[in-house]
Structures are given as structure tokens and as C-alpha cells.
Amino acid sequence: MIEAHDLTKTYGSKTAVGGVSFTVRAGQVTGFLGPNGAGKSTTMRMIMGLDRPTSGSVTVNGLPYAQHKAPLHEVGALLDAKAVHTSRSAYNHLLAMAATHGIAKSRVREVIEMTGLDAVARKKAGGFSLGMGQRLGIAAALLGDPQTLILDEPVNGLDPEGVLWVRNLVRYLASQGKTVFLSSHLMSEMAQTADHLVVIGRGRIIADAPVKDIIAGTRQTRTLVRTGESHQLSALLAGNGVTVDQSEPETLTVTGLEPRRIAKLALDNGVLIYELTPQVSSLEDAYFDLTKDEVEYHSHLTGGPAAAVPATAGK
Amino acid sequence: MSTTTQTSPAPTRSAAAARHGLTFGGVLRSEWIKLWSLMSTRILILLTLVATIGVGVLTAWVRYNILDSMVAGAREQGIEPSSDMLEQSMPPGSGLDLYNLPNAGLQVGILIFGALAVLFMASEYATGMIRSTMSAVPRRTPAFLAKAIILAVVSYVITTVAGAVTFLLSLPMFQGLGVDLSWSTDGVIYSVFTGGLYVAGVALIGLSLGTLLRNSAGGITVLVGIFFVIPIASGFASLVPGDFWKYVPQYIPSEAGGRFLAIGEIDAYIDPWQGGLIFLGYVLLFLVPALLVLKKRDV
């Protein structure tokens, strides 16, 4: 269980994380989603006590991380795949980490085997590929068999087999009643792995809900329309909260209007449509929908109405 | 790279067996593993041992030659120099003392152990290892203290062994000259056991610099500045007219520390124990801010 209360981190005048509060519960995989620079890594570092919050607090299993008697048994973290001395072998790196908590060598060998590092364990970690580095980081996180796992972009750089392995691993750990907090920029990955999502944008929490609620909450339906007279159709459709995007010639994406009414409008005006496909709402849509709101919210604050709303054809 | 990954995860087999939690003994073991698991460190420490002895024996040989020519000069004049006469021609601080031969190669140890200590911390910042270290030891102070203890012990032991071996190897040279030099000569044992303290102190200053600056090159540069450049600069200070500047150089870190290694009193000069205390003060002057900064700063 991770509990953040009004967690804030500022660097000079720049706010990296602005007063976020959320709870990550045990027994499920919680995804931490947000664009680059949204404050995900900073938040995770504050949980681990590496960065000091400017204000607010965060506890893991009821205590600030640093106050635990056996930190590695409480929380395992993969924050940065490069948190390893480049000249030291993977085995010795894990051995040094394990020694702090009196963790046995047998456990070191076990996590090496689990993460598929056997062949390279005696080689210098500096020569590892991104994927190997990720595996070593995950091995270090698992070392203390912790109650809580914090993984920052764990599938970054992994091959498809590794991605599947991480997915199965975190699902298994959550099923064992452990707390898993996982960040990723791959929204499709989140849809398959996470039960719950915390979405962050510009250092603020935009959404904190089960994955299925977030997908269901996507308000507007989108429809793909193909027509030879795209300019004429755009002009007819646009306005009254309807958004039309043209991604390629003769292809429009219409948001805010049902397919039936698009077809009716086209028929009344004699425009030929040769494809009309409703777009299934996905986590990706939900995510863009959420972050678009965030952009609008900010544009209102800065007094530039509608200026930041992207690609709207007409008003 | 072929990696076979278990697709069915079974991560919790033996981990729960015996949980000791985070202990200072464990942190010490961890830092010990870190030091010795780097090939570069092992080679560097071995090299330091060899180089300290080498430079020490070379220095002894230079002093032997000077003494030898003095004895030869005396014999030409028909005087058979006695042990007392030789000792009088080598007043303390003249650079010809023989009791301090164990520390003759000390400058090598100061440079290498100082640099090694800077690297021990700064390389963790350079590689990102520091985040792993501070995740395992989130209170941070124990990790710093463990590094300090290990550096101090290793540099003390290596320097002491090197000093003893240097003296052992130099001893036969002087026995032919009729100089009364042995393990029981005043200051020999003292030299063997204090040289390492000085080097350990330099290593602690190096560790502190590595922590404060988080940068290997910067830390080593400052260290060399303190122990090799300031002494040269302070030599010029004594050229300034007036008495005041003549007394300043003895208080710089390298002079105060060096004085601690000597025996006997010198007019208008600090005593060895005072030198030791001043040097200890310098060590704390770097160590305490480093510890405070390490505790507060984001990693």
C-alpha cells in the first residue's frame, strides 16, 4: 500500500509534481500513466526517499520508506535501469545489494535465474543492452521478495518475450496480495496489465480509477469516414461540438456525432460516403481524451480560450 | 543475446527463509563487496603497495648514498665516524632522518588512496549506482560511514604493511655504515604505526570531496590541490617579509599531518600531537559537511 498526500516537488520556479494525492492498493496492479515530463519518475523517487518532497508526504505500508527496518523487504524498485556501477558484474552488484539486508547468496542466484541473466551474470553491467539492464533492475527489485514493487517503465527495451514475462510476473505478484505500482508510456500495455490507473499530467492527477471505468468514461464516440468530397463534408459536419480531423486524403475522423446522423447529413447533401466505421473506444482514446482536457484546462487558466484545442475545424 | 526467461513466474521460494533486515554489519559487507568487486580497485591497491615500498626503498637508497659519501669524506680526513657523529650530522627535519624511513614512500599512498576514495563515492554518482545504494540504505548515513570505515581500514593496513616492508628492506643498507639503526631506534615503530593514520585521514577527505562534488575529476583535482599544490604555494608564503607568514605554513593540512608523523620538538613549531589534532580537525572539516549534504540532497 502506497499513500501519497499532497505530494509536491518544485525545482526553483518549475513545478514537477504539484500536490498529488493517491493510494496504491495491495492485491492489484496499479498503472501510473502520463506523458514524458508529467512527474511520474519524480513521484516514484519521492516514494523511495531519493528525492525529498518540497511539501506533502508519502508512506509505504504505513511508514515513510526510510523508516522501515528492512527497506528492501518492504519495497523493491526499478527506477532507472542504469542505477548500476558499469564496471561491476551483475552478480556482484546484486550480491552487494543483498549484503545490506543479509539476503543469502542463494536468493541472488535465484533472481538471476528468474530474470534470465544466467549467461551474463559474471559480465560487466556496463556492457548490457537496454533490455539486459532492465532485467538486472527487475532482479534487484525482486531481491528482497518485497511486499510492494515500484517499476518505472519496466518493459522499456525488452523483447516481446520479456514484455510478456513482466506482464505475467506483475499479475502473479498482485495475485499474491502484493502492491504493484507500474509506470509505462505504452497504453496498450497498461490495458493488458493494470487493474487500476493513476493518470498524471503536468504534475497533477487527472484520473484515478479502475481501467474499465476510464475506458467506459470516454465521453465522445469517434467515427472514421471515407469520402471523395471530404472538404464539403467537413464544412457540413463541423460546429456544435463536433470535431473533424483529416489524417489522410479522403479520410475524416469525426468526434461528437453518431454514425447514423453523419450518414443522414451526407445523404441530404448528396455527398457519397464509401466507408463509415465507428471507432472502438480504447484506453488510448481515453488517455488522449483525459490529457486533452488537461490542455484545455490550462489554456483557460492562461486566458487563451480555445487556442490550445488542437485540430478543430471551425467553431 | 539469447535469454531464456521463465514465463511462469515463481518468485518467492527461498526469499522469506531468514530475514535479518538492514544492519550496519550488512552495509559494511556490502561496501566491502563493492570495493573488491572492481578489478580497477584491486589492481590500484596492489599497485599502491608496490609503489609505496618502491619509492620508500629508493628514498632510503638516496639517503644511504648521502651518508656513505659523508662517511667516506670523514675517513679521507683520517676520522673514523662514530654512530653519534653521524646522528649529529643528520639533525631532525634535515630530510636525512632514518627513523622515518617507513614513511618514505607515503606520498604515493596519499595520492592513490586519496584518489581512490574520491572515486569510491563519485563513481556511484557518475554511474547512477548511488540510487541503488540509497534505496537499500535509505537513511544514507550508514552507507557513508561504512565507506569511510572500509577506506580508512584498507588504507591504514596497506600503508602500515608497506611502511614495515620498506624499513625491513632498507635496514641492511645502513648496517654496513656503522649507523645505529634498528626496529628499536626512536621513532621507527611510531613511524610504522602513524603513517597509515595520515593516509587514512587523506582518504576520508577524498571520500568527503567525492560526496560534496559528486564528480571524480573535480574531487581528485581539489585533493591534489590540498596535498600537493598548497604545500608549494605555502613555501612562497615564508618569503613574505615579517614573522607572521613564516608560521602559517605549518598549519596547512599536509604540514600539520606530516608533523604528526615526526618525533621531537622543533623551536617555534607545533608539536607532533598538535599536528595530529589539527589534521584531524581538517578531516572533520570535510567529513561533517559531506555527511550533512549527503543526507539532505536528492540523489
Side-chain angles (χ1 to χ4, degrees):
Chain A
M1 176 108 120
I2 302 168
E3 288 166 289
H5 300 286
D6 208 19
L7 204 55
T8 303
K9 182 71 183 181
T10 56
Y11 298 102
S13 62
K14 191 174 165 289
T15 303
V17 177
V20 304
S21 299
F22 59 86
T23 302
V24 181
R25 290 185 177 76
Q28 61 181 17
V29 177
T30 303
F32 197 27
L33 195 59
N36 291 336
K40 299 190 298 287
S41 296
T42 306
T43 303
M44 286 180 156
R45 280 202 305 273
M46 284 194 282
I47 298 172
M48 294 302 290
L50 294 174
D51 281 12
R52 186 178 291 257
T54 308
S55 66
S57 66
V58 59
T59 59
V60 186
N61 306 333
L63 276 180
Y65 178 68
Q67 287 178 22
H68 282 290
K69 293 232 180 317
L72 287 187
H73 292 312
E74 294 292 337
V75 186
L78 163 77
L79 291 184
D80 183 342
K82 290 189 205 74
V84 177
H85 198 296
T86 41
S87 307
R88 196 172 285 125
S89 72
Y91 175 75
N92 281 324
H93 170 72
L94 293 171
L95 203 60
M97 295 280 288
T100 57
H101 285 60
I103 296 166
K105 276 184 188 172
S106 58
R107 176 64 183 170
V108 171
R109 282 191 287 268
E110 202 171 274
V111 295
I112 286 173
E113 190 190 316
M114 277 170 54
T115 50
L117 287 172
D118 312 63
V120 293
R122 297 282 175 174
K123 297 207 170 106
K124 283 184 182 181
F128 281 18
S129 65
L130 183 56
M132 283 290 138
Q134 291 288 52
R135 284 165 189 268
L136 179 54
I138 293 169
L142 294 173
L143 206 51
D145 187 26
Q147 182 56 39
T148 301
L149 262 134
I150 297 175
L151 307 172
D152 196 1
E153 306 269 0
V155 300
N156 198 12
L158 288 182
D159 50 22
E161 187 204 18
V163 171
L164 185 66
W165 170 71
V166 169
R167 191 187 302 157
N168 288 338
L169 177 72
V170 297
R171 296 241 41 102
Y172 171 80
L173 291 170
S175 75
Q176 298 292 299
K178 295 184 188 295
T179 309
V180 181
F181 194 38
L182 170 91
S183 84
S184 179
H185 64 276
L186 299 172
M187 286 158 287
S188 54
E189 187 53 39
M190 282 294 189
Q192 294 180 69
T193 311
D195 304 296
H196 192 96
L197 273 188
V198 175
V199 184
I200 189 169
R202 298 195 180 193
R204 286 170 200 284
I205 301 293
I206 308 171
D208 182 354
V211 171
K212 59 181 190 314
D213 289 7
I214 287 184
I215 293 172
T218 309
R219 294 160 306 154
Q220 291 171 317
T221 53
R222 292 195 300 159
T223 311
L224 185 84
V225 183
R226 289 191 205 274
T227 172
E229 293 143 275
S230 57
H231 286 293
Q232 196 190 341
L233 189 64
S234 312
L236 287 167
L237 291 170
N240 286 329
V242 179
T243 310
V244 183
D245 290 332
Q246 181 152 14
S247 49
E248 51 190 281
E250 305 204 345
T251 305
L252 300 173
T253 305
V254 182
T255 312
L257 202 62
E258 283 179 18
R260 189 186 180 83
R261 292 191 50 202
I262 298 171
K264 181 77 170 65
L265 206 62
L267 180 66
D268 291 351
N269 292 279
V271 174
L272 177 73
I273 293 176
Y274 61 88
E275 187 184 338
L276 190 67
T277 314
Q279 301 291 285
V280 178
S281 182
S282 68
L283 182 59
E284 199 148 337
D285 297 325
Y287 174 70
F288 282 128
D289 204 33
L290 284 165
T291 47
K292 194 189 81 181
D293 287 352
E294 177 71 358
V295 172
E296 284 172 341
Y297 170 68
H298 274 275
S299 72
H300 277 296
L301 268 190
T302 52
V309 181
T312 41
K315 190 77 201 151
Chain B
M1 185 122 342
S2 72
T3 50
T4 49
T5 312
Q6 292 184 346
T7 315
S8 59
T12 57
R13 268 175 281 157
S14 71
R19 291 197 161 179
H20 305 281
L22 182 61
T23 59
F24 188 66
V27 179
L28 266 179
R29 248 193 316 283
S30 172
E31 293 299 335
W32 179 254
I33 292 168
K34 281 191 204 167
L35 187 72
W36 288 102
S37 61
L38 294 179
M39 178 69 90
S40 54
T41 311
R42 290 201 299 266
I43 292 173
L44 208 60
I45 289 174
L46 190 74
L47 216 70
T48 312
L49 184 68
V50 173
T52 306
I53 295 169
V55 170
V57 172
L58 205 68
T59 309
W61 185 69
V62 169
R63 290 184 199 176
Y64 161 78
N65 278 323
I66 294 170
L67 272 178
D68 190 40
S69 60
M70 282 164 66
V71 170
R75 279 177 183 153
E76 268 175 30
Q77 293 170 15
I79 307 163
E80 183 57 30
S82 69
S83 174
D84 281 351
M85 284 173 65
L86 282 170
E87 261 161 47
Q88 275 165 18
S89 58
M90 302 177 289
S94 66
L96 291 171
D97 304 290
L98 296 179
Y99 77 86
N100 63 12
L101 277 179
N103 291 332
L106 212 62
Q107 295 297 321
V108 178
I110 290 166
L111 185 61
I112 304 185
F113 276 118
L116 185 73
V118 172
L119 283 169
F120 199 31
M121 187 59 99
S123 71
E124 290 216 6
Y125 281 101
T127 58
M129 178 67 202
I130 192 77
R131 285 188 287 278
S132 291
T133 303
M134 295 316 177
S135 296
V137 192
R139 286 180 188 272
R140 302 185 186 180
T141 311
F144 183 86
L145 293 181
K147 278 186 194 297
I149 289 171
I150 281 171
L151 280 173
V153 168
V154 169
S155 49
Y156 182 80
V157 169
I158 297 289
T159 307
T160 305
V161 169
V165 172
T166 302
F167 190 70
L168 205 65
L169 293 177
S170 312
L171 212 45
M173 291 186 211
F174 296 93
Q175 264 150 9
L177 282 178
V179 183
D180 185 19
L181 183 68
S182 72
W183 286 100
S184 55
T185 300
D186 267 358
V188 169
I189 296 293
Y190 179 81
S191 292
V192 168
F193 287 103
T194 50
L197 290 177
Y198 180 43
V199 177
V202 176
L204 292 181
I205 290 176
L207 178 71
S208 307
L209 287 172
T211 308
L212 288 166
L213 301 175
R214 291 178 286 183
N215 178 294
S216 307
I220 293 171
T221 305
V222 174
L223 188 90
V224 168
I226 294 170
F227 288 97
F228 294 92
V229 178
I230 290 180
I232 296 170
S234 78
F236 291 111
S238 56
L239 300 178
V240 178
D243 280 347
F244 176 75
W245 286 101
K246 290 187 175 53
Y247 299 120
V248 170
Q250 60 183 312
Y251 297 104
I252 67 171
S254 57
E255 281 298 314
R259 179 71 184 120
F260 169 60
L261 306 179
I263 55 167
E265 289 169 11
I266 302 174
D267 274 350
Y269 214 74
I270 49 174
D271 286 337
W273 67 271
Q274 290 169 323
L277 280 184
I278 291 168
F279 184 66
L280 183 67
Y282 278 116
V283 172
L284 292 175
L285 198 65
F286 287 94
L287 211 58
V288 172
L291 201 51
L292 292 177
V293 163
L294 181 81
K295 193 109 176 109
K296 281 202 73 163
R297 202 162 47 190
D298 290 348
V299 293

